[in-house]
Each structure stands twice: as structure tokens, then as C-alpha cells.
Amino acid sequence: MHDAAQPAAGETRIEVTDPVYGNVIAEVRMCPVNLERLEALINGSSEQGRRERQKYAFELAQLGG
């Protein structure tokens, strides 16, 4: 569902481990974002622009789930 501007771009995960026992205690996920598309959505002030911003935010939120 990420943008095709960089087809090789993908999610990166970083595990946070307990320094004493080495157990994984958290995970950080980073997903690619098309900054040109994001800029265009932010600058759109119409009602259509607002709906598209909401849709893109929802898409980005779904990538992590």
C-alpha cells in the first residue's frame, strides 16, 4: 500500500531489548512515506483535499497493523 515512487522501499523494524536479559521488550516500525504526495495533501485546502488527507493517514496507519 506504500507509494510506487520508490518500489524497493519497505518497512524497517528495530527491536528494543532488555540490556540485562536480552529479551525483546518493544519494536519500532518505520514505513516509507512519499513526501511529495504528503506535501501536496497538506497544501490542499479544499474539502476534497481534507478527505484525501484523511484517506492517506488511514492508509499509513494500516501499514503498521
Side-chain angles (χ1 to χ4, degrees):
M1 195 177 294
H2 61 72
D3 295 301
Q6 294 292 328
E11 178 180 274
T12 299
R13 295 178 186 201
I14 300 172
E15 290 184 345
V16 180
T17 57
D18 180 312
V20 176
Y21 299 105
N23 300 328
V24 176
I25 56 176
E27 181 179 84
V28 178
R29 294 181 179 184
M30 296 181 291
C31 298
V33 175
N34 182 323
L35 295 179
E36 291 176 354
R37 179 175 179 201
L38 185 60
E39 178 188 23
L41 290 172
I42 290 170
N43 289 329
S45 59
S46 67
E47 181 64 24
Q48 170 81 19
R50 184 188 65 77
R51 285 192 299 271
E52 291 197 20
R53 279 192 301 275
Q54 288 177 331
K55 180 182 174 194
Y56 193 53
F58 182 75
E59 289 174 8
L60 291 175
Q62 295 304 306
L63 288 174

